[in-house]
Amino acid sequence: MASIFRPSISLDLRPKVTCTNLSTKERLEFHNKSLRKEKLNIGLRGVKANQAQGTSVVTEEKELNNKTGVHHVGLLCENLERSLEFYQNILGLEINEARPHDKLPYRGAWLWVGSEMIHLMELPNPDPLTGRPEHGGRDRHACIAIRDVSVLKEILDKAGIAYTMSKSGRPAIFTRDPDTNALEFTQV
């Protein structure tokens, strides 16, 4: 699928060190290599003697290496095309064509954010669309690292999309997608 984003109002959300110059196939290879480096490490840690019964009990301790990062964040949407308009045309994200869009029992799309993804799922949303906190930092949200918050601020202003700045004073913007999913963009 060809990209339909307008570069004049899109934002580069890629982190400083990333694999974004790679093709979809190369990104998947990069991601899989990262996962292989951080495999689940299960080790036998010792033997405990149960003196009361005169038996030995082998204790196994499992250790997870949680250094691989977030693979994807799933977000519900009412209308996939409307959501893609926001995520592709406003934020400049690209679809990951290698993901199983047509193999799931609902419509959806996987969008690259650096080497991770957002999975849009066209499903009924159990959350209320009204009455949510104005500031997305006081609601469930996904946070995306960007290089320059001021560039996103200009893009959102130009598109007429509401946002709030971080209440702590750090360089971060909170906004909502067309389905009121809260998104934070923090400057790194």
Side-chain angles (χ1 to χ4, degrees):
M1 181 173 163
S3 175
I4 59 170
F5 70 94
R6 294 184 302 266
S8 61
I9 63 163
S10 67
L11 175 65
D12 182 0
L13 297 176
R14 297 175 289 196
K16 292 176 185 173
V17 179
T18 186
C19 63
T20 53
N21 292 335
L22 305 177
S23 68
T24 297
K25 181 181 175 185
E26 291 169 326
R27 284 184 191 186
L28 290 173
E29 289 172 5
F30 172 83
H31 184 72
N32 289 336
K33 284 179 185 174
S34 296
L35 289 178
R36 279 195 297 273
K37 288 178 185 174
E38 302 294 340
K39 286 183 181 174
L40 182 62
N41 181 12
I42 299 175
L44 190 59
R45 296 292 182 204
V47 177
K48 254 189 197 175
N50 185 336
Q51 294 177 352
Q53 296 178 356
T55 60
S56 294
V57 178
V58 176
T59 60
E60 185 176 338
E61 193 175 301
K62 296 181 181 180
E63 180 181 313
L64 290 175
N65 287 328
N66 291 324
K67 298 177 186 173
T68 57
V70 174
H71 180 269
H72 72 274
V73 173
L75 299 176
L76 300 179
C77 65
E78 180 183 2
N79 180 293
L80 184 61
E81 287 75 22
R82 182 182 69 186
S83 293
L84 288 174
E85 172 72 21
F86 175 79
Y87 285 95
Q88 287 184 300
N89 292 358
I90 301 298
L91 300 182
L93 302 184
E94 298 174 11
I95 289 182
N96 177 353
E97 297 292 348
R99 297 303 298 171
H101 303 289
D102 58 346
K103 295 182 181 175
L104 298 172
Y106 51 84
R107 296 180 59 217
W110 297 78
L111 301 158
W112 285 113
V113 180
S115 61
E116 289 76 29
M117 293 168 280
I118 290 176
H119 182 199
L120 294 176
M121 300 173 284
E122 191 178 78
L123 292 168
N125 190 341
D127 293 326
L129 299 179
T130 60
R132 307 288 289 275
E134 180 186 353
H135 181 61
R138 295 190 176 130
D139 200 355
R140 290 180 301 275
H141 63 276
C143 180
I144 299 170
I146 60 175
R147 292 185 187 118
D148 189 353
V149 168
S150 65
V151 173
L152 176 60
K153 188 175 182 284
E154 290 176 25
I155 291 168
L156 295 175
D157 285 339
K158 186 174 181 180
I161 296 173
Y163 61 86
T164 56
M165 300 303 292
S166 173
K167 302 297 183 188
S168 70
R170 63 190 169 83
I173 290 179
F174 292 83
T175 191
R176 293 188 181 272
D177 74 3
D179 293 281
T180 72
N181 293 304
L183 300 169
E184 175 184 357
F185 297 89
T186 188
Q187 185 169 306
V188 292

